[in-house]
Amino acid sequence: GGGHPGGGHGGTPQKVPTAVGSGGAAATVDLLATDAAIDTLRKGGNAVDAAVAAAGVLGVTEPFSAGIGGGGFMVIRTPRGHVTTIDGRETAGAAMRPDSFFENGTPLPFADARYSGLSAGVPGTVAKWELALDRYGSKPLRKLLQPAIDVARRGFTVDQTFFDQTTPNVDYFDDIPSTAAIYLDPDGTPRDVGSTLRNPDLARTYEYIARFGADAFYRGPLARAIAQAAQKPPTAPTANHTWRPGLITEQDIANYRAIERKPTKVDYKGLEVWGMGPPSSGGSTVGEALNILEGYQPLGADRTQALHRYLEASRYAFADRNKYLGDPAYVKPLPLDCLLSQPFADVRRALITDTAVNAAVPGDDYCGPAGVAPESMEGPSTTHLTIADDDGMVVSYTFTVESTGGNGIVVPGTGMLLNNELTDFDFNSLTAPNRAQGGKRPRSSMAPTIVTRNGRPFLAVGSPGGSMIITTVLQTLLERLEFGKDLPAAIAAPRASQRNGATSIAEPGFAADKEALRTRYGHAFGTDQAEIGAVTGIEFFDRGRMLAAAEPVRRGGGSALVVKPQR
């Protein structure tokens, strides 16, 4: 949500979820962001430049999902066919310990852990932008932040999705005057649908970063303000919750580095599938599930059998994710090559029968010893954008402030909402691979994905959705590659998700498939979830043609544009 149709510069088009053409393509959840990406491409920027421009705008129009107070992961394919990734995941302060979220020997309830200074990690987004631009971009950050500065100053129209995302946060936002001032009306209710929301403080923060570079975010007055807001949450005297002090210091912020990492890669029926490695579990879990499913030729005699295998493959891949994965600097050994090997997938596939398990299964010891992690509480709020330019550069980029509204704290004077990323640790465990530790990056499920065929771009996709990101990306790939749907139909298809639990969950539209899966394979389903994920993607055709696609309905629908629309 967040974008407004019509208006804008040069008669901005209406928000449409699909676009076909050439010269470059972009798909995001928001019209203004997609527009900024296309504008950047038109002016000679490449896909990385366009991704940063769009991300800057999303930090204004989608502040509860994304922004410079958070972090994320970018998968990049260069024009020469090299695939790499940039890790801008937040880090815990040096003082964080496995029991930092415990009081009187027990872990805090999720809401108490989240709405606090404790949950804030050192934001990685600005460092990630700078690293991506230094190595792969062609335009300076100061130019690319201009569209975001303009939107923050001019404002954007509050839509129903934005209103709906504010509503569950009201009782916490009104505890923090700096947050209430931006996101609540004077009477303490969410900003009205149709009203214009401006964020002049954020415009100034962006201008400051534009003028002085990423360093100005990690050192000096901005870093001081971030550390202060986390250590002493700026609550109102009327606050009706306890906001616990956090641990990040100016030194922690100064020490932050974004990291370029090798992508994960699996081959699936003649395609190369590239994803994000640890500390994200996205690439390896999608990859392991695809390896399991590749052994079925065909995937199923019909859709129901194929969906049964998809759900069970997800179950086993999630079991292994929970057992093995965390920040590779802390979780050693982390047997990524083994997890993504075909022999391991064959071992897991052999366990899939014609009856659903309907219980959590253990991770397999095949890849060596590891701790066992309970499922972490990952928030569904995140955003994903997919961009390609005319030279064959492709960017699949997922970024977040974690839960919808982050930790609820706008850093006073900056217009920037802080993340609650550290609740992505298994903060209720003292032994899990993904337990809280100083300096560590919490495990993620973000799964920005690029698919190539013989090295040429074929598909790029990604989604928000907490740990359901993994199943959303996996199902979208299967709908496109196995079920004969084109990309827009693959994105629109009703979804189901199995994350190694006693039940799977599905969207209401999945009802017919659910009934067939129950009857034939004994699958158990929990309460429906209204929406699972919110995909954007691009498919590549010959002669430079591209199809950009976003959600037609979920999250209020997304926005897809191309540089030169097909006439």
Coordinates of all heavy atoms in Angstrom, one line a residue, residues 48-85:
V48 N 20.9 -1.8 -10.0 CA 21.3 -1.6 -8.6 C 20.9 -0.1 -8.2 O 20.3 0.1 -7.2 CB 22.7 -1.9 -8.3 CG1 23.2 -1.3 -7.0 CG2 23.0 -3.4 -8.4
D49 N 21.2 0.8 -9.1 CA 20.8 2.2 -8.8 C 19.3 2.3 -8.6 O 18.8 3.0 -7.7 CB 21.2 3.1 -10.1 CG 22.7 3.1 -10.4 OD1 23.5 2.9 -9.5 OD2 23.0 3.2 -11.6
A50 N 18.6 1.7 -9.5 CA 17.1 1.7 -9.5 C 16.6 1.1 -8.2 O 15.6 1.6 -7.7 CB 16.5 1.1 -10.7
A51 N 17.2 0.0 -7.8 CA 16.8 -0.7 -6.6 C 16.9 0.2 -5.4 O 16.0 0.3 -4.5 CB 17.6 -2.0 -6.4
V52 N 18.0 1.0 -5.3 CA 18.3 1.9 -4.2 C 17.3 3.0 -4.2 O 16.7 3.4 -3.2 CB 19.7 2.4 -4.2 CG1 19.9 3.5 -3.1 CG2 20.7 1.2 -3.9
A53 N 17.0 3.6 -5.4 CA 16.1 4.7 -5.5 C 14.7 4.2 -5.1 O 14.0 4.9 -4.3 CB 16.0 5.2 -7.0
A54 N 14.2 3.0 -5.5 CA 12.9 2.5 -5.1 C 12.9 2.2 -3.6 O 11.9 2.5 -3.0 CB 12.6 1.3 -5.9
A55 N 14.0 1.7 -3.1 CA 14.0 1.3 -1.7 C 13.9 2.6 -0.8 O 13.2 2.6 0.2 CB 15.3 0.5 -1.4
G56 N 14.6 3.6 -1.3 CA 14.5 4.9 -0.5 C 13.0 5.4 -0.4 O 12.6 5.8 0.6
V57 N 12.3 5.3 -1.5 CA 10.9 5.7 -1.6 C 10.1 4.8 -0.7 O 9.2 5.3 0.1 CB 10.3 5.8 -3.0 CG1 8.8 6.0 -3.0 CG2 11.1 6.8 -3.8
L58 N 10.3 3.5 -0.7 CA 9.5 2.6 0.1 C 9.7 2.9 1.6 O 8.9 2.6 2.4 CB 9.9 1.1 -0.2 CG 9.3 0.6 -1.5 CD1 10.0 -0.8 -1.9 CD2 7.8 0.5 -1.5
G59 N 10.9 3.4 1.9 CA 11.2 3.8 3.3 C 10.3 4.9 3.8 O 10.0 5.1 5.0
V60 N 9.7 5.6 2.9 CA 8.7 6.7 3.2 C 7.3 6.2 3.1 O 6.5 6.3 4.1 CB 8.8 7.9 2.2 CG1 7.9 9.0 2.6 CG2 10.3 8.4 2.1
T61 N 6.9 5.5 2.0 CA 5.6 5.1 1.8 C 5.2 3.7 2.5 O 4.0 3.5 2.7 CB 5.3 5.0 0.3 OG1 6.1 3.9 -0.3 CG2 5.5 6.3 -0.4
E62 N 6.2 2.9 2.8 CA 6.0 1.6 3.4 C 6.8 1.6 4.7 O 7.6 0.6 4.9 CB 6.5 0.5 2.5 CG 5.6 0.2 1.3 CD 4.4 -0.7 1.7 OE1 4.7 -1.8 2.2 OE2 3.3 -0.3 1.4
P63 N 6.7 2.6 5.6 CA 7.7 2.7 6.7 C 7.5 1.5 7.7 O 8.4 1.2 8.5 CB 7.3 4.0 7.4 CG 5.9 4.2 7.0 CD 5.7 3.6 5.6
F64 N 6.3 0.9 7.7 CA 6.1 -0.2 8.7 C 6.7 -1.5 8.2 O 6.7 -2.5 8.9 CB 4.6 -0.4 9.0 CG 3.9 0.8 9.4 CD1 2.5 1.0 9.2 CD2 4.6 1.8 10.1 CE1 1.9 2.2 9.6 CE2 3.9 3.0 10.6 CZ 2.6 3.1 10.3
S65 N 7.2 -1.5 7.0 CA 7.7 -2.7 6.4 C 9.2 -2.6 6.1 O 9.9 -3.6 6.0 CB 7.0 -3.1 5.1 OG 5.7 -3.3 5.3
A66 N 9.6 -1.4 5.8 CA 11.0 -1.2 5.2 C 11.5 0.2 5.6 O 10.7 1.1 5.9 CB 10.9 -1.3 3.7
G67 N 12.8 0.4 5.6 CA 13.3 1.7 5.8 C 14.7 1.7 6.3 O 15.2 0.6 6.6
I68 N 15.3 2.8 6.5 CA 16.7 2.9 6.9 C 16.9 2.5 8.3 O 18.1 2.3 8.8 CB 17.3 4.3 6.6 CG1 16.5 5.4 7.3 CG2 17.4 4.5 5.1 CD1 17.2 6.8 7.2
G69 N 15.9 2.3 9.1 CA 16.0 1.8 10.5 C 16.0 0.3 10.5 O 16.0 -0.3 11.6
G70 N 16.1 -0.4 9.3 CA 16.1 -1.8 9.3 C 17.2 -2.4 8.4 O 18.3 -1.8 8.4
G71 N 17.0 -3.6 7.8 CA 18.0 -4.2 7.0 C 17.4 -5.1 6.0 O 16.2 -5.2 5.8
G72 N 18.3 -5.9 5.3 CA 17.8 -6.8 4.3 C 18.9 -7.4 3.5 O 20.1 -7.4 3.8
F73 N 18.4 -8.1 2.4 CA 19.3 -8.9 1.5 C 19.1 -8.6 0.1 O 17.9 -8.6 -0.4 CB 19.1 -10.4 1.8 CG 19.4 -10.8 3.2 CD1 18.4 -11.0 4.1 CD2 20.7 -11.0 3.7 CE1 18.6 -11.4 5.4 CE2 21.0 -11.4 5.0 CZ 19.9 -11.6 5.8
M74 N 20.1 -8.5 -0.7 CA 20.0 -8.2 -2.1 C 20.8 -9.3 -2.9 O 21.9 -9.6 -2.6 CB 20.7 -6.8 -2.4 CG 20.3 -6.1 -3.6 SD 21.3 -4.6 -3.8 CE 20.3 -3.4 -2.9
V75 N 20.1 -9.9 -3.9 CA 20.8 -10.8 -4.8 C 20.9 -10.1 -6.1 O 20.0 -9.5 -6.6 CB 20.0 -12.1 -5.0 CG1 20.7 -13.0 -6.0 CG2 19.8 -12.8 -3.6
I76 N 22.1 -10.0 -6.7 CA 22.4 -9.3 -7.9 C 23.0 -10.2 -8.9 O 24.0 -11.0 -8.6 CB 23.5 -8.2 -7.6 CG1 23.0 -7.2 -6.5 CG2 23.9 -7.4 -8.8 CD1 24.0 -6.3 -5.9
R77 N 22.5 -10.1 -10.1 CA 23.2 -10.7 -11.3 C 23.8 -9.6 -12.1 O 23.0 -8.7 -12.5 CB 22.2 -11.5 -12.1 CG 22.8 -12.2 -13.4 CD 21.9 -12.5 -14.5 NE 22.5 -13.2 -15.6 CZ 23.1 -12.5 -16.7 NH1 23.0 -11.2 -16.8 NH2 23.6 -13.3 -17.6
T78 N 25.1 -9.6 -12.4 CA 25.7 -8.6 -13.2 C 25.5 -8.8 -14.7 O 25.1 -9.9 -15.1 CB 27.2 -8.5 -12.9 OG1 27.8 -9.7 -13.5 CG2 27.5 -8.5 -11.4
P79 N 25.7 -7.8 -15.5 CA 25.5 -8.0 -16.9 C 26.3 -9.1 -17.5 O 25.9 -9.7 -18.5 CB 25.9 -6.6 -17.5 CG 25.7 -5.6 -16.4 CD 25.9 -6.4 -15.1
R80 N 27.5 -9.4 -16.9 CA 28.3 -10.5 -17.4 C 27.9 -11.9 -16.8 O 28.6 -12.9 -17.1 CB 29.8 -10.2 -17.1 CG 30.2 -8.8 -17.6 CD 31.6 -8.5 -17.4 NE 32.4 -9.4 -18.3 CZ 33.7 -9.1 -18.6 NH1 34.3 -8.1 -18.0 NH2 34.4 -9.9 -19.4
G81 N 26.9 -11.9 -16.0 CA 26.4 -13.2 -15.6 C 26.9 -13.7 -14.2 O 26.6 -14.8 -13.8
H82 N 27.7 -12.8 -13.5 CA 28.1 -13.2 -12.2 C 27.0 -12.9 -11.2 O 26.3 -11.9 -11.2 CB 29.3 -12.3 -11.8 CG 29.8 -12.4 -10.4 ND1 30.4 -13.6 -9.9 CD2 29.8 -11.5 -9.4 CE1 30.7 -13.4 -8.6 NE2 30.4 -12.1 -8.3
V83 N 26.7 -13.9 -10.3 CA 25.7 -13.7 -9.3 C 26.3 -13.5 -7.9 O 27.2 -14.3 -7.5 CB 24.6 -14.8 -9.3 CG1 23.5 -14.6 -8.2 CG2 24.0 -15.0 -10.7
T84 N 25.9 -12.5 -7.2 CA 26.5 -12.3 -5.9 C 25.3 -11.8 -4.9 O 24.2 -11.5 -5.4 CB 27.6 -11.2 -5.9 OG1 28.2 -11.1 -4.7 CG2 27.1 -9.8 -6.4
T85 N 25.6 -11.7 -3.7 CA 24.6 -11.2 -2.7 C 25.2 -10.2 -1.7 O 26.4 -10.3 -1.4 CB 24.0 -12.4 -1.9 OG1 24.9 -12.8 -0.9 CG2 23.6 -13.5 -2.8

